[in-house]
């Protein structure tokens, strides 16, 4: 029987989830689940409190054989002790995951059942460098509930400092606050740490072994609500979701000519879903400084109430110009409406001449008004001619599987000077200069079915994404890592300078190390005398690249259309011609066939 | 005579021993690491080997946390140190260093406390070009770091040039003779073809062997009455003995070293001890045999206890001397008497023998750079373009423009004037006697500022000195960012070792001439407390000192601090 809203007490989302889950259960699972639900309902009734972590009715939960050891180390002592701990536990038959805190993916934390923390404190109570971000995360408000986690902390320090072993104490206290339970009490070690550390290790091993011995048969695990719901979100382009900014940082190091923002937004509660390759629509705001200049040039009253749309919504003029109207793009159709109102009648000549096209390039409403104004008519008359602020689309740089209820963007801040004024990209500079964590920004998901990972996870992928073109490939890699896709992957990235412009550098390094990313070639055009771009790197590897194509690799290109994508396309044909030993025409057909078979996809702008 | 059986400490070899062992005479996987394109860093193992080639990987620690958040690896860069015995350089070499620092480095040069050039901020892909250009200038970076004999120091002594020339010649002989023999450097950096046949192990490094030394090894030669090179701080020190204006030989001193570790009393700074006298032509032989004793008996288990000073203290000075004489096959003569006045530099113009002139310039922290109001780097570049003599880098991080002909003196004086360069006489005696290691932001070991902060602290101490009429009093002040002691902190009358950002251990009581170590006076204090202590000590010194009494001697006589009579009681 199919559950429905009208034949069950569930809402639509729940019905959908249950209908997906129930048919997949085996008989044993069905029986267990009914017993589990009955038992937890009894518990709840008896205690009057919400059910605690799911307990199997028959046996205590099995103590896991898996132990995660996280270390934060400045001088290497904590690292050494963590390694020693891992060795000892492995010798006792435990499966150990050993990681520095900086390498540990925080979204894995909830999956950990037994955690050992070995961390030093340096300076005046500060965490070591490779513990800073994890410390910040765990002590911050984004730390998850950790009910069911068992843990112990070994902290290293120097008692001649006032805040002796503070970092270890922080972790110990915080883990408890998050609901975790100590499996052995924290030990604080002074400079001479060997003995107390050995005692801690002995205690931890004892406690872990005891838990092992005390556990019964393997308890059934509760199946997690499978796969994200496919229900349509209530939010769309016309009804954007107000996404909270979780993080907003510059990916370019000091001294760079560029500024590339990495934006993390929360989709919590939106029901919005996306696939790698999709884009996010973002509604920005105009620069208040520009709006004020416009108000000064027109001598409009900023506080005047204006109607902003056909529905008759009313806003203060200044606010409307910031949030609602497009004031930065001059289009021919807009000028056709504005020129009759312009005091300077040369505007009409401009409209009729072939100077119009170059004129509107890089100029905005303020330029026009300064040159040809003032305009006849009220503020309301003029703003009614303006179009609504359009959304900007950005290739999504994250995978939902890796970052549930989050979406990440990679946005290059656009700033340049033209026609005697400094110009700023509306959305990019809005995010770069004014959008703070905690702020909300209207967004929606724009599907892009033409830029999708191969359905077969074993298919090799070749990704070419210089500059912000890197964004979707971060999403691809996150997805392939989460799904455990086994196909090889090869990324070409380029930008100006290695030291400052290697976007997401440490993430690629980790993926290479972990084998998620098979190869990576980089081209930094301004580090060498002769400028090297991604297509040059492709050509240098032409033999290997062609071999990948012959093995069925899918090719993805993302980024600048006019220069990069054309050069890369030409290079691809060159490689097929050269390595395949075929004519130019045949090489072009080869690439065209790839395109047709969705083995050559582009997301260019 | 009963011979004592010598032995090496028990224990498994340290990780660095493994790296050396696996390195095939300092090659490791450096060739591949230097080409790896996704990181500007290299592996820890290769970085250990890099030291033997005169360089190591660092990062700009000012940017470390910021870059981590930006998902960028640390701002990795290489430090590169030149091997330049006795600190002697030619004007053409100065111009090459200047050019390389600006082209590949961070635009500054550091004159080190061991009389050589150091560059910072070189990116991985520029290392080979930099080393090749240094090579073309007839210098190299071999063994400037690593577990080998380091840059040999030598008193620059420009006012006694005849003896200096001879002593310098011996320092150069030592430097060349004690070099590693492996061709790894030439293959890796200078594109030398690999020799096909693999020679017997003994032939590759006849003196060092495949594992090199347990730790770094330092040699310095002093010419009394100046102890500018801090001869007692060296693993092996030679003290020139000059009779009737002629060099007759050297007193031999062994077992000095500055480094220690916070909170570990098994580690301590130590001063070398004089064990005898040898003739000039014997000093290379003495050095080789001393090095082989350290090679055979040094601690290869614990690097913190691996310096030769610990070997000497563990085996006993007498036993080490006996072993040395056994290996030499002859006996050292009785040490000759000598006297040291100070361990500082003589600033300004000094006339040497013959017609030549020498100008000692004060270089704060040894840093050659252009500041808005002090174009030192530019000024020195202009001088190098016309200078016909040579340069001497001093052990106190200063610079001697040496062997200036009477014809050139006016021109160089004019350039010194034009760029406002200084012999330091406008500064306090304290600042002229100050020394700081590099520390933050590039040194990976630093716990607190040194080079960037000491000048600021000195400004504040100067106020106290001024108020007590001690502006011209020479008091040595030395600051290091960590306990390893690159600025020989334990021999500063006022010494600081970094503990944490803004926090230092403060040391007092070292001798003005470098013959006595200091002792810890206050632990883990900040600037306010440092100044509060000196606001008491300096006025007392001004009022209570005896005629000619130095600050380091005064604090002991006044009972402020106990004298450290040996490194082994440094912590007591």
């Amino acid at each position: 029987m199919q559950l429905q809203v009208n034949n069950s007490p569930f809402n639509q989302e729940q019905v959908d989830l249950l209908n997906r889950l129930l048919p997949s259960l085996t008989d044993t699972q069905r029986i267990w689940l009914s017993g589990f639900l009955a038992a937890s309902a009894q518990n709840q009734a008896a205690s009057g409190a919400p059910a605690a972590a799911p307990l199997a009715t028959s046996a205590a939960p099995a103590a896991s054989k898996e132990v995660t050891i996280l270390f934060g180390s400045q001088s290497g002592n904590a690292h050494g002790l963590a390694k020693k701990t891992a060795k000892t536990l492995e010798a006792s038959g435990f499966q150990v995951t050993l990681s520095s805190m900086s390498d540990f993916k925080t979204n894995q934390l909830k999956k950990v059942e037994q955690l050992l923390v070995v961390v030093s404190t340096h300076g005046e109570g500060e965490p070591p460098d490779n513990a800073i971000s994890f410390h910040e995360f765990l002590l911050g408000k984004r730390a998850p509930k950790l009910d069911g986690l068992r843990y112990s902390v070994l902290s290293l320090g120097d008692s001649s400092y006032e805040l002796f072993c503070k970092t270890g104490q922080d972790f110990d206290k915080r883990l408890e606050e998050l609901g975790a339970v100590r499996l052995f009490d924290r030990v604080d070690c002074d400079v001479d740490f060997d003995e107390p550390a050995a005692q801690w290790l002995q205690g931890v091993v004892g406690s872990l072994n005891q838990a092992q011995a005390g556990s019964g048969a393997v308890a059934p695990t509760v199946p997690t609500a499978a796969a994200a719901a496919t229900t349509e979100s209530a939010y769309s382009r016309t009804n954007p979701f107000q996404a909270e900014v979780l993080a907003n940082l510059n990916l370019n190091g000091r001294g760079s000519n560029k500024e590339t923002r990495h934006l993390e937004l929360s989709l919590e509660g939106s029901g919005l879903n996306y696939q790698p390759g999709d884009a996010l629509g973002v509604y920005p705001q105009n620069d208040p400084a520009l709006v004020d200049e416009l108000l000064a040039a027109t001598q409009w009253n900023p506080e005047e109430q204006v109607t902003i749309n056909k529905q008759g919504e009313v806003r203060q003029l200044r606010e409307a110009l910031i949030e609602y109207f497009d004031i930065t793009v001059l289009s021919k159709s807009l000028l056709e409406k504005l020129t009759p109102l312009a005091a300077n009648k040369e505007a009409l000549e401009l409209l009729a001449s072939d100077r119009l096209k170059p004129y509107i390039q890089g100029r905005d409403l303020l330029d026009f008004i300064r040159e040809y104004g003032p305009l006849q008519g009220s503020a309301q008359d003029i703003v009614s001619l303006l179009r609504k602020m359009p959304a900007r689309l950005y290739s999504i740089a994250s995978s939902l599987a890796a970052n549930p209820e989050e979406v990440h963007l990679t946005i290059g801040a656009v700033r340049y000077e033209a026609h005697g004024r400094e110009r700023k990209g509306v959305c990019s500079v809005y995010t770069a200069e004014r959008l703070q964590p905690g702020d909300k920004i209207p967004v929606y998901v724009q599907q892009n079915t033409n830029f999708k990972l191969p359905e077969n996870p074993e298919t090799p992928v070749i990704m070419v994404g210089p500059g912000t073109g890197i964004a979707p490939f971060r999403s691809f890699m996150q997805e392939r890592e989460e799904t455990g896709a086994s196909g090889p992957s090869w990324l070409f990235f380029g930008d100006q300078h290695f030291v400052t412009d290697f976007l997401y550098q440490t993430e690629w390094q980790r993926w290479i190390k972990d084998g998620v990313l098979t190869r990576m070639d980089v081209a930094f055009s301004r580090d060498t005398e002769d400028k090297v771009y991604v297509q040059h790197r492709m050509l240098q590897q032409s033999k290997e690249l062609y071999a990948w194509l012959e093995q069925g690799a899918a090719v993805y290109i993302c980024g600048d259309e006019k220069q990069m994508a054309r050069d890369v396309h030409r290079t691809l044909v060159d490689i097929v011609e050269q390595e395949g030993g075929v004519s130019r025409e045949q090489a072009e057909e080869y690439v065209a066939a790839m395109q047709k078979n969705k083995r050559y996809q582009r997301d260019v702008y | 005579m009963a011979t004592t059986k010598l032995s090496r400490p028990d224990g498994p070899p340290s990780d660095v021993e493994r790296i050396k062992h696996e390195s095939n005479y300092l090659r490791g996987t450096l060739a591949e690491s230097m080409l790896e394109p996704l990181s500007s860093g290299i592996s820890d193992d290769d970085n250990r080997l890099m030291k033997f080639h005169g360089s190591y990987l660092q990062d700009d620690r000012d940017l470390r946390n910021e870059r981590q958040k930006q998902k960028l690896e640390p701002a990795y860069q290489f430090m590169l140190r030149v091997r330049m015995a006795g600190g002697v350089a030619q004007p053409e070499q100065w111009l090459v260093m200047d050019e390389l620092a600006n082209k590949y480095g961070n635009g500054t040069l550091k004159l080190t406390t061991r009389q050589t050039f150091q560059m910072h901020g070189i990116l991985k892909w520029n290392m080979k070009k930099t080393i090749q250009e240094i090579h073309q200038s007839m210098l190299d970076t071999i063994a400037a770091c690593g577990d080998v004999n380091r840059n040999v120091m030598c008193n620059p002594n420009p006012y006694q040039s005849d003896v200096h020339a001879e002593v310098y010649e011996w320092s150069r002989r030592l430097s060349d003779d004690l070099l590693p023999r492996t061709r790894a450097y030439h293959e890796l950096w200078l594109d030398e073809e690999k020799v096909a046949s693999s020679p017997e192990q003994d032939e590759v490094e006849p003196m060092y062997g495949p594992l090199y030394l347990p730790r770094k090894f330092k040699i310095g030669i002093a010419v009394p009455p100046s102890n500018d090179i801090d001869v007692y701080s060296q693993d092996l020190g030679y003290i020139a003995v000059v009779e009737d204006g002629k060099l007759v030989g050297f007193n031999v001193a062994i077992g000095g070293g500055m480094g220690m570790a916070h909170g570990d009393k098994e580690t301590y700074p130590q001063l070398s001890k004089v064990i005898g006298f040898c003739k000039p032509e014997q000093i290379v032989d003495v050095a080789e045999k001393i090095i082989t004793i350290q090679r055979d008996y040094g601690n290869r288990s614990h690097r913190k206890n691996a310096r030769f000073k610990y070997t000497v203290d563990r085996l006993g000075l007498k036993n080490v001397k006996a072993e040395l004489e056994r290996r030499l096959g002859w006996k050292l003569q009785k040490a000759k008497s000598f006297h040291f006045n100070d361990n500082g530099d003589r600033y300004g113009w000094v006339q040497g023998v013959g017609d030549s002139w020498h100008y000692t310039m004060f270089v704060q922290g040894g840093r050659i750079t252009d500041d808005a109001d002090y174009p030192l780097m530019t000024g020195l570049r202009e001088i190098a373009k016309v200078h016909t003599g040579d340069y001497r880098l001093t052990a106190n991080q200063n610079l001697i423009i040496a062997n200036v002909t009477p014809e050139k003196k006016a021109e160089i004086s004019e350039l010194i004037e034009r760029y406002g360069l200084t012999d330091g006489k406008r500064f306090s005696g304290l600042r002229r006697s100050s020394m700081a290691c590099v520390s933050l932001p590039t040194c990976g070991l630093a716990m607190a500022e040194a080079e960037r902060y000491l000048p600021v602290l000195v400004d504040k101490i100067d106020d106290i000195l001024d108020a007590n009429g001690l502006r011209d009093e020479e008091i040595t002040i030395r600051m290091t960012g960590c306990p390893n002691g690159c600025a020989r902190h334990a021999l500063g009358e006022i010494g600081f070792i970094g503990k944490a950002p803004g926090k230092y251990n403060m040391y007092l009581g070292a001798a003005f001439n470098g013959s006595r170590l200091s002792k810890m006076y206050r632990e883990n204090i900040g600037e306010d407390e440092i100044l509060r202590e000196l606001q008491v000590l300096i006025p007392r010194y001004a009022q209570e000192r005896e005629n000619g009494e130095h600050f380091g001697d005064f604090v002991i006589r006044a009972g402020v601090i106990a004298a450290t009579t040996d490194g082994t009681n440094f912590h007591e």
Side-chain angles (χ1 to χ4, degrees), chain B residues 413-472:
Chain B
S413 294
E414 195 276 323
L415 286 168
I416 288 170
E417 193 77 14
R418 189 191 309 167
Y419 290 97
L421 310 186
T422 180
D423 57 9
K425 285 178 183 155
R426 66 175 188 238
F427 296 127
S428 67
L430 182 79
R431 190 181 302 273
R432 287 198 304 271
S433 311
S434 65
M435 198 148 87
C437 70
V438 177
S439 198
L440 294 169
T442 50
C443 180
L445 301 168
M447 303 178 188
E449 297 283 349
E451 183 190 320
R452 295 195 293 195
Y453 169 61
L454 184 58
V456 179
L457 180 64
V458 167
D459 283 345
K460 294 174 183 176
I461 302 175
D462 275 352
D463 292 342
I464 307 174
L465 293 169
D466 285 348
N468 289 277
L470 294 175
R471 185 171 180 80
D472 295 325

Side-chain angles (χ1 to χ4, degrees), chain B residues 56 58 61 79 81 108-116 118 120 216 218 258-259 262 363-368 395-398 433-456 458 477-490 492 494-499 503-504:
Chain B
Y56 44 90
Q58 307 183 317
R61 293 177 59 184
M79 182 282 289
R81 191 183 289 155
T108 76
L109 279 170
K110 173 95 175 176
L111 310 184
T112 77
T113 56
R114 292 190 69 78
Q115 300 180 279
T116 190
Q118 196 164 289
H120 294 268
K216 60 187 166 190
K218 297 177 174 179
M258 290 291 100
H262 281 315
V363 182
Q364 185 145 273
R367 184 64 66 180
I368 308 291
N396 290 292
Q397 305 175 314
N398 294 311
S433 311
S434 65
M435 198 148 87
C437 70
V438 177
S439 198
L440 294 169
T442 50
C443 180
L445 301 168
M447 303 178 188
E449 297 283 349
E451 183 190 320
R452 295 195 293 195
Y453 169 61
L454 184 58
V456 179
V458 167
I477 180 167
R478 296 176 174 185
M479 176 175 278
T480 60
C482 84
N484 287 294
C486 290
R488 300 191 287 274
H489 54 78
I494 304 173
F496 296 100
I497 307 183
K499 279 279 273 182
K503 292 290 168 84
Y504 298 86

Side-chain angles (χ1 to χ4, degrees), chain B residues 3 12 39 55 63 103 160 185 379 440 506 532 540 554:
Chain B
T3 54
S39 170
S55 173
L63 305 181
K103 189 161 60 171
Q160 277 177 293
Y185 182 88
L440 294 169
M506 180 176 176
R532 214 153 41 228
R540 276 191 67 187
F554 165 77

Side-chain angles (χ1 to χ4, degrees), chain A residues 547-574:
Chain A
W548 280 54
L549 296 183
E550 285 290 283
Q551 284 155 25
V555 176
Y556 300 85
I557 299 174
C558 181
D560 168 71
E561 181 175 21
K562 289 183 191 71
Q563 291 292 321
M564 187 278 295
R566 279 180 201 184
D567 290 342
V568 169
H569 178 86
R570 199 177 309 119
T571 304
L572 205 57
V573 178
D574 288 345

Side-chain angles (χ1 to χ4, degrees), chain B residues 6 174 177-178 206-208 213 217 219 236 238 252 254 275 281-298 308 311-312 315 319-330 332:
Chain B
L6 304 182
L174 283 169
D177 189 81
L178 303 174
M207 180 179 71
Y208 286 118
L213 297 182
F217 193 89
I219 299 180
L236 171 58
Y238 290 112
V252 180
I254 62 169
I275 56 168
E281 59 272 23
Q282 293 173 321
I283 69 169
V284 175
D285 200 12
V286 168
E288 277 185 17
K289 298 300 184 292
I290 290 278
I291 285 174
T292 59
I293 292 173
Q294 163 68 350
R295 176 198 67 194
D296 295 341
Y297 299 115
F308 185 51
T311 311
V312 171
L315 300 177
N319 295 326
V320 174
K321 184 183 173 187
E323 176 67 13
L324 170 66
E325 290 178 337
R326 195 183 66 75
R327 292 187 182 210
L328 286 168
W330 50 268
L332 296 172

Side-chain angles (χ1 to χ4, degrees), chain B residues 123 216 318 459 491 510:
Chain B
L123 293 176
K216 60 187 166 190
K318 258 201 234 158
D459 283 345
L491 288 169

Side-chain angles (χ1 to χ4, degrees), chain A residues 181-194:
Chain A
V181 178
R182 277 184 204 90
L183 61 88
F184 191 76
D185 280 351
R186 187 188 77 244
V187 172
D188 292 339
C189 304
D190 206 347
V191 182
D192 187 13
F193 55 79
D194 296 285

